Coordinates of all heavy atoms in Angstrom, one line a residue:
A349 N 44.5 23.9 146.3 CA 43.1 23.9 146.3 C 42.6 24.1 144.8 O 43.0 25.0 144.1 CB 42.6 25.1 147.1
V350 N 41.8 23.2 144.4 CA 41.3 23.1 143.0 C 39.8 22.7 143.1 O 39.4 22.1 144.0 CB 42.0 22.0 142.2 CG1 41.5 21.9 140.8 CG2 43.5 22.2 142.2
T351 N 39.0 23.2 142.1 CA 37.5 23.0 142.2 C 37.1 21.8 141.3 O 37.5 21.7 140.2 CB 36.8 24.2 141.7 OG1 37.3 25.4 142.4 CG2 35.3 24.1 141.9
P352 N 36.3 20.8 141.9 CA 35.8 19.7 141.1 C 34.8 20.1 140.2 O 34.0 21.0 140.3 CB 35.3 18.8 142.2 CG 34.8 19.7 143.3 CD 35.8 20.9 143.3
G353 N 34.7 19.3 139.0 CA 33.7 19.6 138.0 C 32.3 19.6 138.5 O 31.4 20.3 137.9
A354 N 32.0 19.0 139.6 CA 30.6 18.8 140.1 C 30.0 20.2 140.4 O 28.8 20.4 140.4 CB 30.6 18.0 141.3
D355 N 30.9 21.3 140.6 CA 30.3 22.6 140.8 C 29.6 23.1 139.6 O 28.7 24.1 139.7 CB 31.4 23.6 141.2 CG 31.4 24.0 142.6 OD1 30.5 23.5 143.3 OD2 32.2 24.9 143.0
F356 N 29.9 22.6 138.4 CA 29.5 23.3 137.2 C 28.4 22.5 136.4 O 28.0 22.9 135.3 CB 30.7 23.6 136.3 CG 31.8 24.3 137.1 CD1 32.9 23.6 137.6 CD2 31.7 25.6 137.4 CE1 33.8 24.2 138.3 CE2 32.6 26.2 138.1 CZ 33.7 25.6 138.7
G357 N 28.0 21.4 137.0 CA 27.0 20.6 136.3 C 27.2 19.1 136.5 O 27.9 18.7 137.5
E358 N 26.7 18.3 135.5 CA 26.9 16.9 135.6 C 27.7 16.3 134.6 O 28.5 15.3 134.8 CB 25.5 16.2 135.4 CG 24.3 16.9 136.1 CD 23.8 16.1 137.4 OE1 23.5 15.0 137.2 OE2 23.8 16.7 138.5
E359 N 27.7 16.9 133.4 CA 28.4 16.4 132.2 C 29.9 16.3 132.4 O 30.6 17.4 132.6 CB 28.1 17.3 131.0 CG 28.5 16.8 129.6 CD 27.6 15.6 129.2 OE1 26.6 15.4 129.8 OE2 28.1 14.9 128.3
G360 N 30.5 15.1 132.5 CA 31.9 15.0 132.7 C 32.4 15.5 134.0 O 33.6 15.6 134.2
A361 N 31.4 15.7 134.9 CA 31.8 16.4 136.2 C 32.7 15.5 137.0 O 33.7 16.1 137.7 CB 30.6 16.7 137.0
A362 N 32.5 14.2 137.0 CA 33.4 13.3 137.9 C 34.8 13.2 137.4 O 35.7 12.8 138.1 CB 32.7 12.0 138.0
T363 N 35.0 13.6 136.1 CA 36.4 13.4 135.6 C 37.0 14.7 135.2 O 38.1 14.7 134.5 CB 36.3 12.5 134.3 OG1 35.3 13.1 133.4 CG2 35.9 11.1 134.6
H364 N 36.5 15.9 135.7 CA 37.2 17.1 135.4 C 37.4 18.0 136.7 O 36.5 17.9 137.6 CB 36.3 17.9 134.4 CG 36.5 17.4 133.0 ND1 35.8 16.3 132.5 CD2 37.3 17.8 132.0 CE1 36.1 16.0 131.3 NE2 37.0 16.9 130.9
V365 N 38.4 18.8 136.6 CA 38.6 19.8 137.7 C 38.9 21.1 137.0 O 39.3 21.2 135.9 CB 39.8 19.4 138.6 CG1 39.5 18.1 139.4 CG2 41.1 19.3 137.8
R366 N 38.6 22.2 137.8 CA 38.9 23.5 137.3 C 40.0 24.2 138.0 O 40.0 24.2 139.2 CB 37.6 24.5 137.4 CG 37.9 25.8 136.7 CD 36.8 26.8 137.1 NE 37.0 27.3 138.5 CZ 36.2 28.3 139.1 NH1 35.3 28.8 138.4 NH2 36.5 28.6 140.3
F367 N 41.0 24.6 137.2 CA 42.1 25.4 137.8 C 41.9 26.9 137.6 O 41.7 27.2 136.4 CB 43.5 25.0 137.2 CG 43.9 23.6 137.5 CD1 43.5 22.5 136.7 CD2 44.7 23.3 138.6 CE1 43.9 21.2 136.9 CE2 45.1 21.9 138.8 CZ 44.7 21.0 138.0
A368 N 41.9 27.7 138.6 CA 41.8 29.1 138.3 C 43.2 29.7 138.5 O 43.8 29.5 139.5 CB 40.9 29.7 139.4
F369 N 43.7 30.4 137.4 CA 45.1 30.9 137.6 C 45.0 32.4 138.1 O 45.5 33.3 137.4 CB 46.0 30.8 136.3 CG 45.3 30.9 135.0 CD1 45.4 32.1 134.3 CD2 44.6 29.9 134.4 CE1 44.8 32.3 133.0 CE2 44.0 30.0 133.1 CZ 44.1 31.2 132.4
T370 N 44.4 32.5 139.3 CA 44.2 33.8 139.9 C 45.2 34.0 141.1 O 44.9 34.6 142.1 CB 42.8 33.9 140.5 OG1 42.5 32.6 141.2 CG2 41.7 34.0 139.4
T371 N 46.4 33.4 140.8 CA 47.5 33.7 141.7 C 48.8 33.8 140.9 O 48.8 33.5 139.7 CB 47.5 32.5 142.8 OG1 48.5 32.8 143.8 CG2 47.9 31.1 142.1
S372 N 49.9 34.3 141.6 CA 51.1 34.7 140.8 C 51.7 33.5 140.2 O 51.5 32.3 140.5 CB 52.0 35.3 141.8 OG 52.6 34.3 142.7
L373 N 52.6 33.8 139.1 CA 53.3 32.7 138.5 C 54.1 31.9 139.4 O 54.2 30.6 139.3 CB 54.3 33.3 137.4 CG 53.8 33.4 136.0 CD1 54.9 34.0 135.1 CD2 53.4 32.0 135.4
D374 N 54.7 32.5 140.4 CA 55.6 31.8 141.4 C 54.7 30.8 142.2 O 55.1 29.7 142.4 CB 56.2 32.8 142.4 CG 57.4 33.4 141.9 OD1 57.8 32.9 140.8 OD2 57.9 34.4 142.5
R375 N 53.5 31.2 142.6 CA 52.6 30.3 143.3 C 52.1 29.2 142.4 O 51.9 28.1 142.8 CB 51.4 31.1 143.9 CG 51.9 32.0 145.1 CD 52.5 31.3 146.2 NE 51.5 30.6 147.1 CZ 51.9 29.7 148.0 NH1 53.1 29.4 148.2 NH2 50.9 29.2 148.8
L376 N 51.8 29.5 141.1 CA 51.4 28.5 140.2 C 52.5 27.4 140.0 O 52.2 26.2 140.0 CB 51.0 29.1 138.8 CG 49.8 30.0 138.8 CD1 49.6 30.6 137.4 CD2 48.5 29.3 139.2
R377 N 53.7 27.9 139.9 CA 54.9 27.0 139.8 C 54.9 26.1 141.0 O 55.1 24.8 140.9 CB 56.2 27.8 139.7 CG 56.6 28.1 138.3 CD 58.0 28.5 138.1 NE 58.0 29.3 136.9 CZ 58.0 30.6 136.9 NH1 58.0 31.3 138.0 NH2 57.9 31.3 135.8
E378 N 54.8 26.7 142.2 CA 54.8 25.9 143.4 C 53.7 24.9 143.4 O 53.8 23.7 143.8 CB 54.7 26.9 144.6 CG 54.5 26.3 146.0 CD 55.7 25.5 146.5 OE1 56.8 25.8 146.1 OE2 55.5 24.5 147.3
G379 N 52.5 25.3 143.0 CA 51.3 24.4 143.0 C 51.5 23.3 142.1 O 51.3 22.1 142.4
V380 N 52.1 23.6 140.9 CA 52.3 22.4 139.9 C 53.4 21.4 140.4 O 53.2 20.3 140.3 CB 52.7 23.0 138.6 CG1 53.2 21.9 137.6 CG2 51.6 23.8 137.9
E381 N 54.4 22.0 141.1 CA 55.4 21.1 141.6 C 54.8 20.1 142.7 O 55.0 19.0 142.7 CB 56.5 21.9 142.3 CG 57.8 21.9 141.6 CD 58.7 22.9 142.2 OE1 59.0 22.8 143.4 OE2 59.2 23.8 141.4
R382 N 53.9 20.8 143.6 CA 53.3 19.9 144.6 C 52.4 18.9 143.9 O 52.4 17.7 144.4 CB 52.5 20.8 145.5 CG 53.3 21.7 146.4 CD 52.3 22.5 147.4 NE 53.0 23.5 148.0 CZ 52.5 24.4 148.9 NH1 51.2 24.2 149.2 NH2 53.2 25.3 149.5
L383 N 51.6 19.3 143.0 CA 50.7 18.4 142.3 C 51.5 17.2 141.7 O 51.2 16.1 141.8 CB 49.9 19.1 141.2 CG 48.8 20.1 141.6 CD1 48.2 20.8 140.5 CD2 47.7 19.4 142.4
G384 N 52.6 17.6 141.0 CA 53.5 16.6 140.3 C 54.0 15.6 141.2 O 53.9 14.4 141.0
R385 N 54.5 16.1 142.3 CA 55.1 15.2 143.4 C 54.0 14.3 144.0 O 54.2 13.1 144.0 CB 55.7 16.1 144.5 CG 57.2 15.9 144.7 CD 57.7 16.7 145.8 NE 57.7 18.2 145.4 CZ 57.3 19.1 146.3 NH1 56.8 18.8 147.4 NH2 57.3 20.4 145.9
F386 N 52.9 14.9 144.3 CA 51.8 14.1 145.0 C 51.3 13.0 144.0 O 51.1 11.9 144.4 CB 50.7 15.0 145.5 CG 49.5 14.3 146.1 CD1 49.7 13.7 147.3 CD2 48.4 14.2 145.4 CE1 48.6 13.0 147.8 CE2 47.3 13.5 145.9 CZ 47.4 12.9 147.2
L387 N 51.0 13.5 142.8 CA 50.3 12.5 141.9 C 51.3 11.5 141.3 O 50.8 10.4 140.9 CB 49.7 13.4 140.7 CG 48.5 14.3 141.1 CD1 48.2 15.3 140.1 CD2 47.3 13.5 141.6
A388 N 52.6 11.7 141.3 CA 53.5 10.7 140.9 C 53.8 9.7 142.0 O 54.2 8.6 141.8 CB 54.8 11.4 140.5
G389 N 53.5 10.1 143.3 CA 53.9 9.3 144.4 C 53.0 8.2 144.8 O 52.0 8.0 144.2

Side-chain angles (χ1 to χ4, degrees):
V350 179
T351 308
D355 248 5
F356 309 100
E358 317 252 307
E359 191 68 18
T363 51
H364 284 81
V365 296
R366 185 194 75 175
F367 294 90
F369 37 99
T370 46
T371 188
S372 69
L373 261 181
D374 278 350
R375 292 299 283 167
L376 292 177
R377 269 194 206 98
E378 172 67 26
V380 170
E381 250 171 56
R382 289 184 194 181
L383 291 172
R385 242 180 289 133
F386 175 73
L387 294 168

